[in-house]
């Protein structure tokens, strides 16, 4: 069975699929990322279903993406020949592709024999609704078939003879040097029959593949890659692009559910949704690469999705903006390598996580800053309302960014982001002369600072939660928010404690305290990038470069990272690939390049001058205590 790190990602900006080193598609959901899986062998080898292309007598294999794309090429060296397998999910562009040629939710596979002779076995065994049942299979010609059940249908089209046997579509082909064959599995609703004129031809397959390559290479050409390792950064950018849901602009945390954080453990979650906190890093990463269109789309998604009463803000939403994400267990699935339960939905959507307010206001602040993006009256009314909510609620305990399923605590990261919310709201009001409750925000902002500083000064470093002595990697974000410069003794001591207590080389665990769940987890790769940023902004460039080299070693052979890593084995853990890891990778590489060019002031915080803002407020009298919302 393929392990998590054995997979490569293909996608069409509506959904995605995971392709194993062995040529097996073990995960795919149609027509959306969060739709019930059609192939989910990754979660149950026996009943999950897969789309396998299996060359016989393989001696070695290697793979790579077509340069600048999310199109995968796997080369199999076999006993009597060499096979190249090219995989993609065709991009359907209405202005370029005739209606009859569009494949909405399809996996297209090209088999090309490069040398000698290769025997290939093919098996297409969809199991709709997360493997709950076996569909009806029917051959519709010598080269076409369909699988139908429930609301789903999968149409299989090949350029050679295929059969139906043993509840799957199969084929056995012998390819000789120079021969090229194709097979496609395309999703559709079960109530709609495929007409004869809609069956794609060999020429149409070629057009779809070429169009998909052209789409991604055009997108890649617009990325600004002024970094030492542009290929690695571009791969992260392309991964984010693949995890973007084109109809709304939402960016998923990951395209999978329930890939375990510990093999055999229960920490298995559905990440096919969009977290507000991810928005901040998404905007930073995309803006930094000059990719403004996706950033604009994501901003619009956030505006529409989070609209309503400020106190009703959620930490995450569905990719279409859905608020209800009920969590339940698929107890008919064994889980990845026996790691049960398999969950869909995410109950954390209804948790109180105060950092979400700061992350959302930070996203607005960042959007407004680089190119002077416009803040509409409605935008500002909502942002100022969020700031008022923070001023009222920051003293409450919450579940924190790690979404503990235990009693709420006064997490330092949550309080820190409440400070961010009020700080950025004050900055926006000041710089744009917007009506606000700025004087009240300043009072509460300073109260949060005093609260956190007193707690940190008592022990000499920032802990996981106020009043505790437990370290947490999220405390490394203190300088990233502008709260204190990296060189500050409290930050340096926090860095030392976190590395000592949670570190294993370049890897960091999130924390070691009780969180209401059994078992453990791996090292969290996002935390390693926080460490990397602290080293960069602390002027420890040689050490930062060494850490980055180690982190690159934890990517798989095609440059993808999971959420976590087993420090003992280097094995990838958690949902895959993880957007947060790739976004952080982009940002840290840009920071490192800036440091190499001498563009970082190591004596200041990342990007904040609190005294200057206070001077603006005092000089301009932006607001009185009775002005604006929430007064």
């Amino acid at each position: 069975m393929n392990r998590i790190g054995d997979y490569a990602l293909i996608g069409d900006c509506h959904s995605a699929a995971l392709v194993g080193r062995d040529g097996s598609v073990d995960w795919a959901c149609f027509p959306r990322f969060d739709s019930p899986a059609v192939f989910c062998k990754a979660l149950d080898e026996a009943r999950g279903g897969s789309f396998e292309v299996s060359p016989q007598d393989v001696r070695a294999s290697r793979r790579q993406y077509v340069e600048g794309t999310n199109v995968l090429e796997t080369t199999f060296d076999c006993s009597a020949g060499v096979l190249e397998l090219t995989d993609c999910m065709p991009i359907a562009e209405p202005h370029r592709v005739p209606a009859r040629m569009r494949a909405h939710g399809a996996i297209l596979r090209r088999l090309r024999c490069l040398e000698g002779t290769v025997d290939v076995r093919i098996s297409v065994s969809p199991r709709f609704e997360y493997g709950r049942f076996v569909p009806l299979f029917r051959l519709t010609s010598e080269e076409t078939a369909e699988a139908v059940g429930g609301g789903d249908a999968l149409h299989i089209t090949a350029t050679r003879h295929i059969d139906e046997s043993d509840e799957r579509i199969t084929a056995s082909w012998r390819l000789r040097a120079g021969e090229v064959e194709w097979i496609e599995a395309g999703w559709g609703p079960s109530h709609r029959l495929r007409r004869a004129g809609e069956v794609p031809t060999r020429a149409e397959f070629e057009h779809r593949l070429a169009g998909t390559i052209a789409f991604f290479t055009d997108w890649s050409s617009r990325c600004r890659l002024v970094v030492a390792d542009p290929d690695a950064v571009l791969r992260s950018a392309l991964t984010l692009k693949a995890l973007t849901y084109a109809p709304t602009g939402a960016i998923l945390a990951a395209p999978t559910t329930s890939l375990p954080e510990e093999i055999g453990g229960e920490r298995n979650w559905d990440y096919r949704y969009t977290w507000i906190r991810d928005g901040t890093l998404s905007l930073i990463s995309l803006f930094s690469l000059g990719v403004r269109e996706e950033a604009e789309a994501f901003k619009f998604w956030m505006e529409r999705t989070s609209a309503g009463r400020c106190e009703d803000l959620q930490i995450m939403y569905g990719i279409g903006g859905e608020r209800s994400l009920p969590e339940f267990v698929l107890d008919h699935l064994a889980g990845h390598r026996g790691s049960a339960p398999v969950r869909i939905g995410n109950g954390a959507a209804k948790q109180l996580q105060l950092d979400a307010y700061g992350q959302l206001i930070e996203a607005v602040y960042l959007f407004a800053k680089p190119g002077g993006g416009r803040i509409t009256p409605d935008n500002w009314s909502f942002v100022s309302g969020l700031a008022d909510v923070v001023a009222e609620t920051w003293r409450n305990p919450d579940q924190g960014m790690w979404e503990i399923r235990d009693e709420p605590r006064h997490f330092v990261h949550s309080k820190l982001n409440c400070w961010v919310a009020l700080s950025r709201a004050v900055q926006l009001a000041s710089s744009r002369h917007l009506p606000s409750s700025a004087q009240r925000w300043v009072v509460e902002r300073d109260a949060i600072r005093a609260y956190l500083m007193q707690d940190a000064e008592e022990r000499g470093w920032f802990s996981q939660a106020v009043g505790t002595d437990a370290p947490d990697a999220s405390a490394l974000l203190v300088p990233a928010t502008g709260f204190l410069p990296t060189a500050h003794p409290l930050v340096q001591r926090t860095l030392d404690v976190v590395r000592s207590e949670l570190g294993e080389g370049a890897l960091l665990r999130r924390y070691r305290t009780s969180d209401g769940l059994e078992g453990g987890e791996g090292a969290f790769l996002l935390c390693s990038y926080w460490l990397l940023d602290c080293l960069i902004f602390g002027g420890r460039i040689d050490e930062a470069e060494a850490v980055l080299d180690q982190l690159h070693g934890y990517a798989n052979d095609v440059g993808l990272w999971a959420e976590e890593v087993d420090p003992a084995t280097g094995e990838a853990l958690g949902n895959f690939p993880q957007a947060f890891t790739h976004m952080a990778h982009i940002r840290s590489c840009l920071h490192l390049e800036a440091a190499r060019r001498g563009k970082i002031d190591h004596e200041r915080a990342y990007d904040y001058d609190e005294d200057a803002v206070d001077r603006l407020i005092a000089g301009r009298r932006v607001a009185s205590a009775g002005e604006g919302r929430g007064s």
Side-chain angles (χ1 to χ4, degrees), residues 148-207:
V148 181
D152 299 286
L154 200 70
H155 301 285
I156 296 95
T157 307
T159 53
R160 277 199 188 184
H161 180 80
I162 57 176
D163 294 301
E164 185 272 315
S165 64
D166 193 28
E167 300 178 332
R168 66 195 66 225
I169 299 300
T170 62
S172 295
W173 297 344
R174 172 168 288 179
L175 278 70
R176 294 177 172 82
E179 291 185 332
V180 177
E181 302 296 348
W182 301 77
I183 184 166
E184 180 184 72
W187 179 89
S190 63
H191 64 268
R192 185 180 182 277
L193 297 175
R194 185 166 69 167
R195 302 179 184 90
E198 295 174 332
V199 177
T201 64
R202 182 183 294 267
E204 289 166 353
F205 287 147
E206 292 172 351
H207 185 90

Coordinates of all heavy atoms in Angstrom, one line a residue, residues 148-207:
V148 N -22.1 3.1 -12.5 CA -23.3 3.9 -12.1 C -23.7 3.4 -10.7 O -23.9 2.2 -10.5 CB -24.4 3.9 -13.1 CG1 -25.6 4.8 -12.6 CG2 -24.0 4.3 -14.5
G149 N -24.0 4.4 -9.8 CA -24.6 4.0 -8.5 C -24.9 5.2 -7.7 O -24.1 6.2 -7.7
G150 N -26.1 5.3 -7.1 CA -26.5 6.5 -6.3 C -26.5 7.7 -7.2 O -27.1 7.6 -8.3
G151 N -25.9 8.8 -6.8 CA -26.0 10.0 -7.7 C -24.8 10.1 -8.6 O -24.7 11.1 -9.3
D152 N -23.9 9.1 -8.6 CA -22.7 9.2 -9.4 C -22.6 8.3 -10.6 O -23.1 7.2 -10.5 CB -21.5 8.9 -8.5 CG -21.4 9.8 -7.3 OD1 -21.0 11.0 -7.5 OD2 -21.7 9.4 -6.1
A153 N -21.9 8.8 -11.6 CA -21.5 7.9 -12.7 C -20.1 8.2 -13.1 O -19.6 9.4 -13.0 CB -22.4 8.2 -13.9
L154 N -19.3 7.2 -13.5 CA -18.0 7.4 -14.0 C -17.9 6.8 -15.4 O -18.2 5.6 -15.6 CB -17.0 6.7 -13.0 CG -15.5 7.2 -13.2 CD1 -15.4 8.6 -12.6 CD2 -14.6 6.3 -12.4
H155 N -17.5 7.6 -16.3 CA -17.5 7.2 -17.7 C -16.0 6.9 -18.1 O -15.1 7.8 -17.9 CB -18.0 8.3 -18.6 CG -19.4 8.6 -18.3 ND1 -20.5 7.8 -18.7 CD2 -20.0 9.7 -17.7 CE1 -21.6 8.4 -18.3 NE2 -21.3 9.5 -17.6
I156 N -15.7 5.7 -18.5 CA -14.4 5.3 -18.8 C -14.2 5.2 -20.4 O -15.1 4.6 -21.0 CB -14.0 3.9 -18.2 CG1 -14.0 4.0 -16.7 CG2 -12.6 3.5 -18.7 CD1 -15.3 3.6 -16.0
T157 N -13.2 5.9 -20.9 CA -12.9 5.9 -22.3 C -11.5 5.6 -22.5 O -10.6 6.2 -21.9 CB -13.2 7.3 -22.9 OG1 -14.5 7.7 -22.5 CG2 -13.1 7.3 -24.4
A158 N -11.2 4.6 -23.4 CA -9.8 4.2 -23.7 C -9.6 4.2 -25.2 O -10.6 4.3 -26.0 CB -9.6 2.8 -23.2
T159 N -8.4 4.1 -25.6 CA -8.1 4.0 -27.1 C -7.7 2.6 -27.5 O -7.3 2.4 -28.6 CB -6.9 5.0 -27.4 OG1 -5.8 4.7 -26.5 CG2 -7.4 6.4 -27.3
R160 N -7.9 1.7 -26.5 CA -7.8 0.2 -26.9 C -8.9 -0.5 -26.2 O -9.7 0.0 -25.3 CB -6.5 -0.3 -26.4 CG -5.3 -0.1 -27.3 CD -4.2 -1.0 -27.0 NE -3.0 -0.7 -27.8 CZ -1.9 -1.5 -27.8 NH1 -1.8 -2.6 -27.0 NH2 -0.8 -1.2 -28.5
H161 N -9.0 -1.8 -26.4 CA -10.1 -2.6 -25.9 C -10.0 -2.7 -24.4 O -9.0 -2.8 -23.7 CB -9.9 -4.0 -26.4 CG -10.9 -5.0 -26.0 ND1 -12.2 -5.1 -26.5 CD2 -10.9 -6.0 -25.0 CE1 -12.9 -6.0 -25.9 NE2 -12.1 -6.6 -24.9
I162 N -11.2 -2.6 -23.7 CA -11.3 -2.8 -22.3 C -12.4 -3.8 -22.0 O -13.2 -4.1 -22.8 CB -11.7 -1.4 -21.6 CG1 -13.0 -0.8 -22.1 CG2 -10.5 -0.5 -21.7 CD1 -13.4 0.4 -21.4
D163 N -12.4 -4.4 -20.8 CA -13.3 -5.4 -20.4 C -14.0 -5.0 -19.0 O -13.5 -4.1 -18.3 CB -12.6 -6.7 -20.2 CG -12.1 -7.3 -21.5 OD1 -12.9 -7.5 -22.4 OD2 -10.9 -7.5 -21.6
E164 N -15.0 -5.7 -18.7 CA -15.7 -5.6 -17.4 C -15.6 -6.9 -16.7 O -16.0 -8.0 -17.3 CB -17.1 -5.2 -17.5 CG -17.8 -4.9 -16.2 CD -18.4 -6.2 -15.6 OE1 -19.1 -7.0 -16.3 OE2 -18.3 -6.4 -14.4
S165 N -14.9 -7.0 -15.5 CA -14.8 -8.2 -14.8 C -14.5 -8.0 -13.3 O -13.9 -7.0 -13.0 CB -13.6 -9.1 -15.4 OG -12.4 -8.4 -15.2
D166 N -15.1 -8.8 -12.5 CA -14.9 -8.8 -11.1 C -15.1 -7.4 -10.5 O -14.4 -6.8 -9.7 CB -13.4 -9.2 -10.8 CG -13.2 -9.5 -9.3 OD1 -14.2 -9.8 -8.6 OD2 -12.1 -9.3 -8.8
E167 N -16.3 -6.8 -10.9 CA -16.7 -5.6 -10.4 C -15.8 -4.4 -10.6 O -15.5 -3.6 -9.7 CB -17.1 -5.7 -8.9 CG -18.2 -6.7 -8.6 CD -18.5 -6.9 -7.2 OE1 -17.6 -6.7 -6.3 OE2 -19.6 -7.3 -6.9
R168 N -15.2 -4.4 -11.8 CA -14.3 -3.3 -12.2 C -14.1 -3.3 -13.7 O -14.5 -4.3 -14.3 CB -12.9 -3.5 -11.5 CG -12.1 -4.7 -11.9 CD -11.0 -5.0 -10.9 NE -11.6 -5.4 -9.6 CZ -11.1 -4.9 -8.4 NH1 -10.1 -4.0 -8.4 NH2 -11.7 -5.3 -7.3
I169 N -13.5 -2.3 -14.2 CA -13.2 -2.2 -15.6 C -11.7 -2.5 -15.7 O -10.9 -2.0 -15.0 CB -13.5 -0.8 -16.2 CG1 -15.0 -0.5 -16.1 CG2 -13.0 -0.8 -17.7 CD1 -15.9 -1.5 -16.8
T170 N -11.4 -3.5 -16.6 CA -10.0 -3.9 -16.7 C -9.5 -3.9 -18.2 O -10.3 -3.8 -19.1 CB -9.8 -5.4 -16.2 OG1 -10.6 -6.2 -17.0 CG2 -10.3 -5.4 -14.7
A171 N -8.2 -3.9 -18.3 CA -7.5 -4.0 -19.6 C -6.1 -4.6 -19.4 O -5.5 -4.4 -18.4 CB -7.5 -2.7 -20.3
S172 N -5.7 -5.3 -20.5 CA -4.3 -5.8 -20.5 C -3.8 -5.4 -21.9 O -4.2 -5.9 -22.9 CB -4.2 -7.3 -20.4 OG -4.7 -7.7 -19.1
W173 N -2.8 -4.5 -21.9 CA -2.3 -3.9 -23.2 C -0.8 -4.2 -23.3 O -0.1 -4.2 -22.3 CB -2.4 -2.4 -23.2 CG -3.9 -1.9 -23.2 CD1 -5.0 -2.7 -23.5 CD2 -4.3 -0.6 -23.0 NE1 -6.1 -1.9 -23.4 CE2 -5.7 -0.6 -23.1 CE3 -3.7 0.6 -22.7 CZ2 -6.5 0.6 -22.9 CZ3 -4.4 1.8 -22.5 CH2 -5.8 1.7 -22.7
R174 N -0.3 -4.5 -24.5 CA 1.1 -4.6 -24.7 C 1.5 -3.4 -25.6 O 0.9 -3.3 -26.8 CB 1.5 -5.9 -25.4 CG 2.9 -6.0 -25.9 CD 3.3 -7.4 -26.3 NE 3.4 -8.2 -25.1 CZ 3.8 -9.5 -25.1 NH1 4.0 -10.2 -26.2 NH2 3.9 -10.2 -23.9
L175 N 2.4 -2.6 -25.2 CA 2.8 -1.4 -25.9 C 4.2 -1.6 -26.4 O 5.1 -2.1 -25.6 CB 2.7 -0.2 -25.1 CG 1.3 0.5 -25.0 CD1 0.4 -0.3 -24.1 CD2 1.5 1.9 -24.3
R176 N 4.5 -1.2 -27.6 CA 5.8 -1.3 -28.2 C 6.3 0.1 -28.4 O 5.6 1.1 -28.4 CB 5.8 -2.1 -29.6 CG 5.4 -3.5 -29.4 CD 5.3 -4.3 -30.7 NE 5.1 -5.7 -30.5 CZ 4.0 -6.3 -30.2 NH1 2.9 -5.6 -30.1 NH2 3.9 -7.6 -30.1
A177 N 7.6 0.2 -28.6 CA 8.3 1.5 -28.7 C 7.6 2.4 -29.7 O 7.3 2.0 -30.8 CB 9.8 1.3 -29.1
G178 N 7.3 3.6 -29.2 CA 6.6 4.6 -30.0 C 5.1 4.6 -30.0 O 4.5 5.6 -30.4
E179 N 4.5 3.6 -29.4 CA 3.1 3.5 -29.3 C 2.6 4.4 -28.1 O 3.2 4.4 -27.0 CB 2.6 2.1 -29.1 CG 2.8 1.2 -30.4 CD 2.2 -0.1 -30.3 OE1 2.1 -0.7 -29.1 OE2 1.9 -0.7 -31.3
V180 N 1.4 5.0 -28.3 CA 0.8 5.9 -27.3 C -0.6 5.5 -27.2 O -1.4 5.4 -28.2 CB 0.9 7.4 -27.7 CG1 0.2 8.2 -26.6 CG2 2.4 7.8 -27.8
E181 N -1.1 5.2 -26.0 CA -2.5 4.9 -25.7 C -3.0 5.8 -24.6 O -2.2 6.4 -23.8 CB -2.7 3.5 -25.3 CG -2.2 2.5 -26.4 CD -3.0 2.6 -27.7 OE1 -4.1 3.3 -27.8 OE2 -2.5 2.0 -28.7
W182 N -4.3 6.0 -24.5 CA -4.9 6.9 -23.5 C -6.1 6.1 -22.8 O -6.7 5.3 -23.3 CB -5.6 8.1 -24.2 CG -4.6 8.9 -25.0 CD1 -4.1 8.7 -26.2 CD2 -4.1 10.2 -24.6 NE1 -3.3 9.7 -26.6 CE2 -3.2 10.6 -25.7 CE3 -4.2 11.0 -23.5 CZ2 -2.6 11.8 -25.7 CZ3 -3.5 12.2 -23.4 CH2 -2.7 12.6 -24.5
I183 N -6.3 6.5 -21.5 CA -7.5 6.1 -20.8 C -7.9 7.2 -19.9 O -7.1 7.9 -19.3 CB -7.3 4.8 -20.0 CG1 -8.6 4.3 -19.4 CG2 -6.2 4.9 -19.0 CD1 -8.6 2.9 -18.9
E184 N -9.2 7.5 -19.9 CA -9.8 8.6 -19.0 C -11.0 8.1 -18.2 O -11.8 7.3 -18.7 CB -10.2 9.8 -19.9 CG -10.8 10.9 -19.1 CD -11.3 12.0 -20.0 OE1 -12.4 11.8 -20.6 OE2 -10.7 13.1 -20.0
A185 N -11.0 8.5 -17.0 CA -12.2 8.3 -16.1 C -12.8 9.6 -15.8 O -12.2 10.4 -15.2 CB -11.8 7.5 -14.9
G186 N -14.0 9.9 -16.3 CA -14.7 11.2 -16.1 C -15.9 11.0 -15.4 O -16.8 10.2 -15.7
W187 N -16.1 11.9 -14.4 CA -17.3 11.9 -13.5 C -18.5 12.6 -14.1 O -18.3 13.5 -14.9 CB -17.0 12.5 -12.2 CG -18.2 12.5 -11.2 CD1 -18.5 11.6 -10.3 CD2 -19.1 13.6 -11.1 NE1 -19.6 11.9 -9.6 CE2 -20.1 13.2 -10.1 CE3 -19.4 14.8 -11.7 CZ2 -21.2 13.9 -9.7 CZ3 -20.5 15.5 -11.4 CH2 -21.3 15.1 -10.4
G188 N -19.7 12.1 -13.8 CA -20.9 12.9 -14.2 C -22.0 12.4 -13.2 O -21.9 11.4 -12.6
P189 N -23.1 13.2 -13.2 CA -24.3 12.7 -12.4 C -24.9 11.5 -13.0 O -24.9 11.4 -14.2 CB -25.2 14.0 -12.4 CG -24.8 14.7 -13.6 CD -23.3 14.5 -13.8
S190 N -25.4 10.6 -12.2 CA -25.9 9.3 -12.7 C -27.1 9.5 -13.5 O -27.4 8.6 -14.4 CB -26.2 8.4 -11.5 OG -27.2 8.9 -10.7
H191 N -27.9 10.6 -13.4 CA -29.1 10.7 -14.1 C -28.9 11.2 -15.6 O -29.8 11.2 -16.4 CB -30.0 11.7 -13.4 CG -29.5 13.1 -13.4 ND1 -28.8 13.6 -12.3 CD2 -29.5 14.2 -14.3 CE1 -28.4 14.8 -12.5 NE2 -28.8 15.2 -13.7
R192 N -27.6 11.6 -15.9 CA -27.3 12.1 -17.2 C -26.6 11.0 -18.0 O -25.5 10.6 -17.6 CB -26.5 13.4 -17.1 CG -26.3 14.0 -18.5 CD -25.5 15.3 -18.3 NE -25.3 16.0 -19.6 CZ -24.4 15.7 -20.5 NH1 -23.6 14.7 -20.3 NH2 -24.3 16.3 -21.6
L193 N -27.1 10.6 -19.1 CA -26.5 9.6 -20.0 C -25.5 10.3 -20.9 O -25.7 11.5 -21.3 CB -27.5 8.9 -20.8 CG -28.5 8.0 -20.1 CD1 -29.6 7.5 -21.1 CD2 -27.8 6.9 -19.4
R194 N -24.4 9.7 -21.2 CA -23.4 10.3 -22.1 C -23.8 9.9 -23.5 O -24.0 8.8 -23.9 CB -22.0 9.7 -21.8 CG -20.9 10.4 -22.7 CD -19.5 10.1 -22.2 NE -19.1 8.7 -22.3 CZ -17.8 8.3 -22.2 NH1 -16.9 9.2 -21.9 NH2 -17.5 7.0 -22.3
R195 N -23.9 11.0 -24.3 CA -24.3 10.8 -25.7 C -23.1 10.4 -26.5 O -21.9 10.6 -26.2 CB -24.9 12.1 -26.3 CG -26.1 12.6 -25.5 CD -26.6 13.9 -26.1 NE -27.7 14.4 -25.3 CZ -27.6 15.2 -24.3 NH1 -26.4 15.6 -23.9 NH2 -28.7 15.7 -23.6
A196 N -23.4 9.8 -27.7 CA -22.3 9.3 -28.5 C -21.3 10.4 -28.9 O -20.1 10.2 -29.0 CB -22.9 8.6 -29.8
G197 N -21.8 11.6 -29.2 CA -21.0 12.7 -29.7 C -20.1 13.2 -28.6 O -19.3 14.1 -28.8
E198 N -20.4 12.8 -27.3 CA -19.6 13.3 -26.2 C -18.4 12.4 -25.8 O -17.7 12.8 -24.9 CB -20.5 13.5 -25.0 CG -21.6 14.6 -25.2 CD -22.5 14.6 -24.0 OE1 -22.7 13.6 -23.4 OE2 -23.1 15.7 -23.8
V199 N -18.3 11.3 -26.5 CA -17.2 10.4 -26.2 C -15.9 11.0 -26.8 O -15.8 11.3 -28.0 CB -17.4 9.0 -26.8 CG1 -16.2 8.1 -26.6 CG2 -18.7 8.4 -26.2
P200 N -14.9 11.3 -26.0 CA -13.7 12.0 -26.5 C -12.9 11.1 -27.4 O -12.9 9.9 -27.3 CB -12.9 12.4 -25.3 CG -13.4 11.4 -24.2 CD -14.8 11.1 -24.6
T201 N -12.2 11.7 -28.4 CA -11.3 11.0 -29.3 C -9.9 11.1 -28.9 O -9.6 11.9 -28.0 CB -11.5 11.5 -30.7 OG1 -11.0 12.9 -30.7 CG2 -12.9 11.5 -31.2
R202 N -9.0 10.4 -29.6 CA -7.6 10.5 -29.3 C -7.1 11.9 -29.5 O -6.3 12.4 -28.7 CB -6.8 9.5 -30.2 CG -5.3 9.5 -30.0 CD -4.6 8.6 -31.0 NE -5.0 7.2 -30.9 CZ -4.3 6.3 -30.2 NH1 -3.2 6.7 -29.5 NH2 -4.8 5.1 -30.1
A203 N -7.6 12.6 -30.5 CA -7.2 14.0 -30.8 C -7.6 14.9 -29.6 O -6.9 15.8 -29.2 CB -7.7 14.5 -32.1
E204 N -8.8 14.6 -29.1 CA -9.3 15.4 -28.0 C -8.6 15.2 -26.7 O -8.3 16.1 -25.9 CB -10.8 15.2 -27.8 CG -11.7 15.8 -29.0 CD -13.1 15.2 -29.0 OE1 -13.4 14.3 -28.2 OE2 -13.9 15.7 -29.8
F205 N -8.1 14.0 -26.5 CA -7.3 13.7 -25.3 C -6.0 14.5 -25.4 O -5.5 15.1 -24.5 CB -6.9 12.2 -25.2 CG -8.1 11.3 -24.8 CD1 -8.2 10.1 -25.2 CD2 -9.0 11.8 -23.8 CE1 -9.2 9.2 -24.8 CE2 -10.0 11.0 -23.4 CZ -10.2 9.7 -23.9
E206 N -5.4 14.5 -26.6 CA -4.2 15.3 -26.8 C -4.4 16.7 -26.6 O -3.6 17.4 -26.0 CB -3.7 15.0 -28.3 CG -3.2 13.6 -28.5 CD -2.8 13.3 -30.0 OE1 -3.2 14.2 -30.8 OE2 -2.3 12.2 -30.2
H207 N -5.5 17.2 -27.1 CA -5.8 18.6 -26.8 C -6.0 19.0 -25.4 O -5.6 20.0 -24.9 CB -7.1 19.0 -27.6 CG -7.5 20.5 -27.6 ND1 -7.0 21.4 -28.5 CD2 -8.2 21.2 -26.7 CE1 -7.5 22.6 -28.2 NE2 -8.2 22.5 -27.1

